Amino acid sequence: MGRGVMVGVTVGVAVAACLVAGVVVGKRVKSRRKWKRVMGVLRELEEGCETTVGRLKQVVDAMAVEMHAGLASEGGSKLKMLLTFVDNLPSGSEKGTYYALDLGGTNFRVLRVLLGGQRSSILAKDVERQPIPPHLMSGTSEDLFDFMASSVKEFVEKEGNDSESSVVKKKELGFTFSFPVRQTSVLSGILIKWTKGFAIEEMVEKEVAQYLQEALIRKGLDMRVAVLAYFSLLIYSEQVNDTVGTLALGHYHDEDTVAAVIIGTGSNACYVERTDAIIKCQGLLTTSGGMVVNMEWGNFWSSHLPRTSYDIDLDADSPNPYDMGFEKMISGMYLGDIVRRVILRMSQESDIFGPDSSRLSVPFILRTPLMAAMHEDDSPELTVVAGILREVLEISDVPLKVRKLVVKICDVVTRRAARLAAAGIVGILKKIGRDGSGGITSGRTRSDVKMRRTVVAIEGGLYTNYTMFREYLHEALTEILGEQIAQHVILKETEDGSGIGAAILAASYSSSNSVDNDTDTVQPL
């Protein structure tokens, strides 16, 4: 009897153990299935974002072809290829004090630079920033520009009577106006429409610089608006940097600068083009034979761009669907949200991120600087990743392997963006014959071409502050061009093209500098 009881107990324990083992095994199998589904999402992302050298070269060719088409006719390309009428870039010999007014949104800046007459010699710089009172954003043009002109006057008067500029008869000012403009000359342009909350209807289809010039006169300032720089399509940026000003600043520091690229919240590029290549404006004459062209490259599109379902959904949910496709794949406004969308998809496939978080469904809640911080987290336990997931997305207690997965997602999205930006830059170089191939219409081989030193000025927080992005861009540039050609192409960081660059452009168009100094004309390429 006792023996039977013992046997029964033993059997019961064995059965219980089997049941427990079964549960454990079942959980492991279920967990592996969940992880397998998540890995499937990651593989799909990696394949969709693949940027082989062959594919990047296809993007290069497409960019060059679209540039050619945009120069041939209005509306002939997704690239607008806007004429800036800037045919006179700084030479470095400019001397004196010059000003800039940068109206980029709900704030404006007034700047003063003192140039020493030697290349790269900026002896002094002063900047003041002021908010635009909300009532002026929808008031009258006179009220808005009188307010800014008064600020300029106060800024000028702070110099004191001993300033070098106090003996100059007429002061020169560059005006950066970051709204859609149809440029008609280097110092004039017609406002197409307001953005960023401004709504002064009387100014639409009117000449912009004239409003500022008249306000300066009303305030008793002997100051001439020497150049109007504009930046029309990056309407989502908090701070807009002008590519033309960036090119001017780059050329002031280095005469081999032929193009400028902004890669920040938004993205754009401009470059120096031969006037005889601007077919849509036949008969266009400049003293130099060249002109700066604003590409508006954020709107570039090609079937060769590696587009994923996340890009399609982001575009559909954006205020401007089917527009600015290239910018949405490479700029800081969008990269963080692409990562958020991938994490959301993974959370829908499995519970590896824990309970559902409603914040994962909030567009643009994961900003690109936060994404970059997670990507570059080098702590052993990825504590930065854990903190951002917890504080921003309300996802807590994430295992280390899941945190590593998040870093991988950031890497895939960032690598694609940087490599596509590099392809865009090489596309510009190909169009102007600076990629070692001899140009878009050349039949010469690379061995027949002698490469000239080529500098591209580059600005924007995504490039300057995001180390991994910058390294991936440089890596791709070398892969596309080849090491022998790439050594002749230099990317040079600039700072504040929309401000300092505008002031230096004013100097290059100053009557005193054009008479006294050897100001550079834009040289045909």
Side-chain angles (χ1 to χ4, degrees), residues 314 332-341 343-344 357-371 374 388-395:
L314 183 150
M333 179 70 187
Y334 302 99
L335 299 189
D337 201 57
I338 295 173
V339 169
R340 177 194 66 83
R341 289 170 184 271
I343 296 174
L344 175 61
S357 170
S358 60
R359 303 198 75 177
L360 259 180
S361 299
V362 179
F364 298 102
I365 193 171
L366 183 63
R367 297 184 300 109
T368 298
L370 296 174
M371 182 206 80
M374 291 196 296
I388 291 173
L389 290 176
R390 181 179 62 255
E391 299 298 327
V392 177
L393 299 178
E394 294 183 348
I395 298 174

Side-chain angles (χ1 to χ4, degrees), residues 65-79:
V65 168
E66 287 296 309
M67 291 172 69
H68 186 79
L71 292 171
S73 63
E74 291 292 347
S77 166
K78 293 282 281 185
L79 294 174

Side-chain angles (χ1 to χ4, degrees), residues 128 130 149-159 221:
E128 279 192 6
Q130 287 196 45
S150 295
S151 297
V152 173
K153 183 178 182 179
E154 292 174 8
F155 183 77
V156 170
E157 290 174 346
K158 287 178 182 177
E159 298 178 75
L221 265 174

Side-chain angles (χ1 to χ4, degrees), residues 269-302:
C270 71
Y271 73 106
V272 179
E273 181 60 273
R274 302 187 330 271
T275 50
D276 62 5
I278 307 174
I279 303 170
K280 63 184 177 183
C281 291
Q282 289 185 343
L284 180 68
L285 297 175
T286 64
T287 55
S288 64
M291 181 181 289
V292 178
V293 173
N294 172 17
M295 292 173 60
E296 297 290 357
W297 86 347
N299 212 36
F300 168 67
W301 187 252
S302 166

Side-chain angles (χ1 to χ4, degrees), residues 21 26 42 55 99 106 180 288 300 306 334 391 431 465 468 476 492 502:
L42 178 62
R55 187 167 203 167
Y99 298 84
T106 55
S288 64
F300 168 67
Y334 302 99
E391 299 298 327
K431 172 64 180 71
N465 299 329
M468 291 298 295
K492 276 196 173 183

Side-chain angles (χ1 to χ4, degrees), residues 177-180 229-234 240-243 268 294 296:
F177 185 75
S178 300
F179 299 89
Y230 70 99
F231 198 56
S232 61
L233 288 181
L234 288 184
V240 183
N241 293 307
D242 176 60
T243 51
N268 192 22
N294 172 17
E296 297 290 357

Side-chain angles (χ1 to χ4, degrees), residues 47-125:
E47 291 168 2
C49 292
E50 187 61 48
T51 49
T52 62
V53 175
R55 187 167 203 167
L56 291 177
K57 288 182 176 179
Q58 290 175 319
V59 174
V60 167
D61 292 341
M63 178 70 79
V65 168
E66 287 296 309
M67 291 172 69
H68 186 79
L71 292 171
S73 63
E74 291 292 347
S77 166
K78 293 282 281 185
L79 294 174
K80 293 187 179 295
M81 305 301 285
L82 302 174
L83 305 188
T84 66
F85 296 91
V86 173
D87 64 345
N88 198 38
L89 288 173
S91 66
S93 62
E94 293 81 8
K95 188 175 182 178
T97 300
Y98 297 89
Y99 298 84
L101 175 62
D102 178 13
L103 178 59
T106 55
N107 294 285
F108 73 98
R109 297 184 303 154
V110 186
L111 300 92
R112 173 174 50 240
V113 296
L114 176 60
L115 306 178
Q118 299 176 359
R119 187 174 293 280
S120 294
S121 178
I122 300 177
L123 302 180
K125 177 185 75 170

